[in-house]
Amino acid sequence: MHSAQQHPGNSQPLNLLEAINRALLYAMEDDDKVVVFGEDIATNGGVFRATEGLKERFGFRRVMDTPLAENLIAGLAVGMASQGLKPVAEIQFMGFIYATLEQLISHAARLRNRTRGRLGCPLVIRAPFGGGIHAPEHHSESTEALFAHIPGLRVVIPSSSARAYGLLRAAIDCPDPVLFLEPKRLYRLQRLPVELDSDPLPLDRCFTLRAGEDVSLISWGAMIHETLAAADRLAEDGIKAEVIDVATLNPLDRDTLVATASKTGRVVIVHEAPFTGGFGAEIAATLASDALMHLLAPIERVTGHDCPMPDFAMEPQYMPSVERIVAAARRTLEY
Amino acid sequence: MFTSTPYALYQCLPALAADTDWPRLVSGYRHMTLIRTFDKKAVNLQRTGKLGTYASCLGAEAIGTAGGMALHDDDYFVPYYRDHATQYLRGVPLHQILQYWGGDERGNAFPSDTAAARDLPNCVPIATQLPQAAGIATKAKLGREHAAVLATCGDGATSRGDFYETLNVAGVWQLPLVVVVNNNQWAISVPQHLQTASKSIAHKAEAAGIEGLRVDGNDLPALLDVLDYALDKARHGKGATLIEAVSYRLSDHTTADDASRYRKASELHAAWQREPVARLRQALVDADHWDAAREKQWLADCQQQVDAAVDTYLNQPPQAPTDMLDFLYAELPDSLKPQRAALAQQAGGRHA
Ligand SMILES: Cc1ncc(C[n+]2csc(CCOP(=O)(O)OP(=O)(O)O)c2C)c(N)n1
Ligand SMILES: [Mg+2]
């Protein structure tokens, strides 16, 4: 771990993108096994600038522009990780991540298991995901549920600068493969203080962002912001919402979810991804079995629709809104 | 000394030069016969229900043996699934090779005191091992290890994007990588001419800007020459090589396949005339480095070694059912504890 002397200043106002950049920088300073690569990440610093300055600081040997081949990028990472390097690879957008699936499912996620612990696979794949920035076709999807179904692959999604920093440091330290999905709508949204010397955050715990007794609002990624806004709106009417950021989809912190549902008895799950087979279904199923006796209303899911992510002209109609979340919460209260 | 002639088929047998390294060839011959004995036994174990589906290496003994002999301990080996000879020479005990094909992951936990400890396990999803080999080669290069990575695949694998992506990056990054294609003419039932219109598989190196060589895959001394050259080149930072080793799959694709459905008996018969073990034996006998008495003794030794391995394999204790979760993550996540508790109630797993 890095020390206070190494990174003075420790609490800095950073947006989420800058927090990612600092996490990469300090992880590379602290451990020379960390290497960073992907498309346009070296000289250009990444299309979003997440890796800006790293090539200048560490050189081409540890910060590499790859040929344009996502399957290759994932395979390189598996090979390096199998021999003890800590590769942090960027996939430029989640819409182009699918070529990595075979490497992730058939290799990264099972290497330790199939060698009975002989070879590990401590890689991190980072990818910006989600809508709301008026990006071109294929640049806005949220397909996290596909990856959360892969045993052995951790799926981590930050929703603030501090969690982006702490979770990425933890992901890089982690001996297991991690898919780190960055809500790009939040990249430059706001600068908030980030403790650069804090301990890494846990990779198997939900974060309770706000405590409340009346209804549980459960979400992750960029939708946390609509969810918090909905909690504010409900508070105006004296309704106290508990807000949970799931943050790590796999492994899932079922205990925190069951506890909040058992406390409030009313649950609204919010995600940007389509409804059917979305990760909200897994959470709803968990609560339906493990918190059944405490539930006072049917579990609500506020999600994207079961269609391909629309091109940006219709994004507002697709994305869950504060209004939809508030309405769902009221339905649980009026049930 | 081998001099590279891109795309020309390189052969040594039957006429071996006077300055041939005879002890090396004799030891290569011994390895090849051992692995052939092993292979025959493995097929029999499958037929009698004591092994799962098994991919025979009949006809690939020279390729696998040459790889194992040319690699140094601090090189890396990235196999596909017909590389039992190389795996054995890297230090994987025969019983562990059986254990893998017997459906038991412990077969991939290669002994930590062997060169194999760092090697990747068998790779079933075709060609997916190749980008990983490029990753390992990148690691070797970044660490200035002066080590080479040897990766293998079949002719069918050369149709996949993984193959091209790997050669491409190996060219751009000057990786210490050697890719050997065991061109055994068939990808299950699909013959070469339905796989590619390229003049040869070695020619596929051209687009990547790396060297492409062709070698007789039934010719151990030729394979050793080419591999020594390419691995040495890799270790000295002089770039990657694609080697097409022209062989023939003398077996069915696996024990689950029946090659008579798609392949002419006459073709198989012709291929047996060029098979690697008899060819090398003849050359060694002709040069007075091998004889019938030694052959008899060595085959008996092989049988004994293989029988002992089978014995060890069949007498492994079952795995704990909890093993299927205990090695998945470095540390068992809390969320999996209930599933682990349920598994702990079950009896252990069996062979095949
Ligand atoms: C990606 C993928 N597709 C299909 C298969 C099924 N399969 C197994 S082996 C094989 C043929 C491989 O042929 P080749 O690469 O020539 O190797 P060989 O078995 O002949 O040595 C196929 C299609 C697979 N294992 N992986
Ligand atoms: Mg083949």
Side-chain angles (χ1 to χ4, degrees):
Chain A
M1 270 300 86
H2 54 289
S3 67
Q5 299 98 289
Q6 263 179 301
H7 311 133
N10 23 53
S11 181
Q12 286 181 20
L14 300 174
N15 64 34
L16 196 144
L17 192 61
E18 292 162 339
I20 301 268
N21 182 269
R22 290 314 180 280
L24 293 169
L25 173 70
Y26 297 149
M28 293 188 80
E29 275 186 0
D30 289 352
D31 185 351
D32 60 14
K33 290 194 164 60
V34 179
V35 294
V36 171
F37 53 94
E39 296 160 8
D40 306 290
I41 66 102
T43 302
N44 195 34
V47 293
F48 287 103
R49 309 288 176 258
T51 53
E52 188 157 52
L54 298 181
K55 185 208 80 180
E56 289 71 15
R57 174 78 178 71
F58 301 103
F60 276 123
R61 296 184 80 83
R62 292 180 66 196
V63 185
M64 295 167 274
D65 279 326
T66 64
L68 203 166
E70 286 75 15
N71 172 54
L72 171 75
I73 290 170
L76 288 168
V78 172
M80 291 177 185
S82 76
Q83 306 300 324
L85 281 188
K86 295 195 153 241
V88 184
E90 176 175 302
I91 297 296
Q92 207 161 68
F93 291 89
M94 195 181 201
F96 314 122
I97 206 170
Y98 309 117
T100 71
L101 266 173
E102 186 169 37
Q103 288 291 337
L104 293 178
I105 296 175
S106 301
H107 294 292
R110 54 193 291 163
L111 187 61
R112 177 186 297 282
N113 178 62
R114 67 190 289 264
T115 59
R116 287 299 185 252
R118 179 171 64 87
L119 300 173
C121 199
L123 61 76
V124 177
I125 305 271
R126 300 176 34 246
F129 87 117
I133 63 159
H134 287 214
E137 199 180 4
H138 300 292
H139 288 66
S140 298
E141 8 296 291
S142 314
T143 48
E144 66 272 18
L146 294 177
F147 297 87
H149 189 58
I150 306 171
L153 180 70
R154 292 174 179 270
V155 179
V156 178
I157 303 177
S159 67
S160 73
S161 303
R163 286 187 291 283
Y165 180 80
L167 289 171
L168 184 53
R169 292 298 313 253
I172 296 171
D173 278 350
C174 179
D176 305 318
V178 180
L179 177 68
F180 193 84
L181 296 174
E182 299 167 5
K184 60 180 170 298
R185 183 155 59 95
L186 308 186
Y187 268 163
R188 301 174 201 276
L189 192 68
Q190 55 192 152
R191 285 205 166 86
L192 290 168
V194 176
E195 295 291 332
L196 297 178
D197 293 317
S198 57
D199 288 334
L201 293 171
L203 289 180
D204 55 358
R205 291 285 175 268
C206 299
F207 295 88
T208 303
L209 304 185
R210 190 175 298 186
E213 296 78 44
D214 300 328
V215 57
S216 300
L217 308 181
I218 298 171
S219 189
W220 55 88
M223 272 300 143
I224 283 292
H225 287 255
E226 280 67 22
T227 304
L228 285 168
D232 287 343
R233 194 82 63 81
L234 291 165
E236 289 167 13
D237 294 336
I239 300 164
K240 297 194 192 73
E242 182 145 294
V243 178
I244 307 282
D245 177 4
V246 177
T248 64
L249 270 52
N250 187 34
L252 181 62
D253 174 9
R254 294 175 198 275
D255 294 346
T256 299
L257 297 170
V258 170
T260 187
S262 303
K263 178 166 101 177
T264 64
R266 298 180 173 89
V267 176
V268 179
I269 303 165
V270 184
H271 60 67
E272 220 175 285
F275 178 79
T276 302
F279 197 71
E282 178 62 35
I283 295 174
T286 296
L287 300 181
S289 63
D290 293 3
L292 180 66
M293 294 311 174
H294 301 279
L295 291 179
L296 303 170
I299 297 168
E300 288 277 345
R301 283 184 280 160
V302 179
T303 72
H305 301 288
D306 282 347
C307 62
M309 182 69 186
D311 290 355
F312 64 81
M314 280 219 297
E315 235 175 20
Q317 286 74 30
Y318 172 89
M319 305 274 268
S321 60
V322 176
E323 290 69 29
R324 281 173 63 197
I325 301 169
V326 169
R330 290 195 196 287
R331 281 196 298 276
T332 68
L333 287 153
E334 288 156 12
Y335 181 78
Chain B
M1 187 58 208
F2 169 78
T3 47
S4 141
T5 318
Y7 315 135
L9 186 74
Y10 177 72
Q11 293 179 298
C12 290
L13 293 174
L16 291 173
D19 65 347
T20 295
D21 183 348
W22 295 106
R24 193 179 189 209
L25 284 193
V26 168
S27 115
Y29 176 73
R30 289 175 183 270
H31 298 320
M32 284 165 61
T33 40
L34 173 66
I35 223 64
R36 183 166 285 186
T37 312
F38 168 83
D39 192 74
K40 191 174 176 188
K41 185 71 195 181
V43 172
N44 284 339
L45 286 171
Q46 190 281 330
R47 300 287 186 237
T48 53
K50 294 188 177 108
L51 200 71
T53 297
Y54 170 75
S56 164
C57 63
L58 196 63
E61 296 90 347
I63 296 170
T65 298
M69 293 179 76
L71 280 168
H72 295 174
D73 278 4
D74 51 6
D75 292 331
Y76 301 82
F77 180 53
V78 179
Y80 73 125
Y81 48 75
R82 237 181 259 289
D83 300 293
H84 321 312
T86 318
Q87 288 183 320
Y88 171 70
L89 290 169
R90 294 285 285 169
V92 184
L94 294 177
H95 79 261
Q96 265 192 295
I97 299 179
L98 291 173
Q99 205 172 14
Y100 171 78
W101 295 98
D104 182 337
E105 286 90 345
R106 289 176 299 180
N108 287 332
F110 304 155
S112 57
D113 58 348
T114 64
R118 56 174 44 192
D119 294 347
L120 294 192
N122 283 340
C123 184
V124 171
I126 301 296
T128 56
Q129 73 279 19
L130 300 175
Q132 299 167 6
I136 299 176
T138 307
K139 182 244 180 195
K141 183 176 170 127
L142 297 182
R144 299 183 170 89
E145 294 179 25
H146 304 293
V149 180
L150 173 65
T152 58
C153 66
D155 45 297
T158 71
S159 298
R160 289 244 323 182
D162 307 64
F163 177 79
Y164 294 102
E165 291 177 19
T166 299
L167 298 192
N168 183 60
V169 76
V172 181
W173 288 356
Q174 284 268 307
L175 293 180
L177 177 66
V178 178
V179 175
V180 169
V181 178
N182 171 7
N183 179 3
N184 60 13
Q185 313 304 320
W186 294 91
I188 310 186
S189 68
V190 179
Q192 259 257 256
H193 71 272
L194 295 182
Q195 205 67 248
T196 180
S198 182
K199 276 191 209 132
S200 76
I201 286 173
H203 278 83
K204 296 190 179 193
E206 188 73 26
I210 67 170
E211 196 174 3
L213 301 174
R214 288 187 91 208
V215 58
D216 185 338
N218 294 323
D219 183 333
L220 183 75
L223 283 158
L224 285 170
D225 279 354
V226 174
L227 276 162
D228 285 345
Y229 162 81
L231 289 169
D232 199 58
K233 177 177 122 186
R235 291 181 201 113
H236 287 89
K238 302 219 172 97
T241 312
L242 171 65
I243 299 173
E244 173 187 359
V246 182
S247 72
Y248 193 88
R249 197 192 76 211
L250 297 171
S251 60
D252 292 335
H253 169 68
T254 63
T255 50
D257 174 49
D258 173 7
S260 70
R261 289 170 57 85
Y262 52 79
R263 174 165 97 163
K264 289 207 184 76
S266 56
E267 182 184 307
L268 180 62
H269 181 76
W272 269 104
Q273 309 316 306
R274 297 186 303 274
E275 70 95 355
V277 176
R279 260 176 99 196
L280 181 57
R281 180 170 56 236
Q282 193 57 51
L284 293 176
V285 169
D286 289 349
D288 252 358
H289 291 280
W290 194 253
D291 55 39
R294 275 195 271 183
E295 174 80 4
K296 190 167 170 226
Q297 179 61 48
W298 176 242
L299 287 183
D301 289 355
C302 288
Q303 199 57 58
Q304 209 182 353
Q305 281 191 55
V306 169
D307 289 346
V310 171
D311 217 45
T312 309
Y313 159 62
L314 292 176
N315 286 299
Q316 292 297 312
Q319 303 185 77
T322 44
D323 281 7
M324 69 175 88
L325 290 180
D326 284 349
F327 296 95
L328 190 54
Y329 299 89
E331 211 177 307
L332 188 78
D334 286 349
S335 63
L336 289 184
K337 284 178 180 162
Q339 291 182 37
R340 188 183 189 281
L343 276 170
Q345 305 300 313
Q346 294 179 24
R350 301 179 305 107
H351 291 298

